[in-house]
Amino acid sequence: MISRRTTSSVLSFRWNRIFVGQNCRLFSSSASDRKYRILFFGTDEISQKTLQILYLNSKGKYENPKVESVEVISPNDASKKALGAVKKYCKRNDIEIYQPLGHKQAERSQKWKELSEQLVDGDGNPKYDLGVVVSFGFMIPSYVIKKFPMGLL
């Protein structure tokens, strides 16, 4: 029988290996050399820190990089949140940023549908492996989430 302490240690170990942080390896170290294409959803200073780690990983700044590319979804310029840290970081580092979302619900619904169509290439293959959402501020429709083979974090 496994003690509660042992179980807790195992769970803690697993979370620490997956956690995206400066002192941790991204997505753990595995035998696979696979790199992931990530679409990041965020707006403010909190999300900018996570974006920075993903971006630096994509540029090989960490041991055993696991990120092939990072692109960003942020609210459009009409939104006050869009003027935040994520947009500024993207501009400073030449990161592709998409701003498809509007203020009005009807407009936003249409923009989500357009975005979901852009998440796959002409052959129906997904352009991104994983979505990462940090302090985004909008509900993401299920039909958008389903476009990511590995889901969203």
Side-chain angles (χ1 to χ4, degrees), residues 45-59:
E45 294 84 13
I46 295 168
S47 54
Q48 183 267 326
K49 291 176 184 176
T50 304
L51 173 60
Q52 179 179 1
I53 291 167
L54 293 169
Y55 174 73
L56 291 175
N57 188 282
S58 74
K59 296 300 178 189

Side-chain angles (χ1 to χ4, degrees), residues 49-94:
K49 291 176 184 176
T50 304
L51 173 60
Q52 179 179 1
I53 291 167
L54 293 169
Y55 174 73
L56 291 175
N57 188 282
S58 74
K59 296 300 178 189
K61 302 291 184 184
Y62 290 103
E63 177 187 336
N64 193 22
K66 291 290 184 181
V67 178
E68 179 181 320
S69 63
V70 178
E71 295 180 7
V72 176
I73 297 286
S74 189
N76 68 16
D77 288 333
S79 171
K80 293 177 185 174
K81 288 184 178 181
L83 302 175
V86 167
K87 183 176 178 183
K88 291 175 187 174
Y89 186 81
C90 289
K91 285 189 174 195
R92 269 196 321 265
N93 293 286
D94 294 323

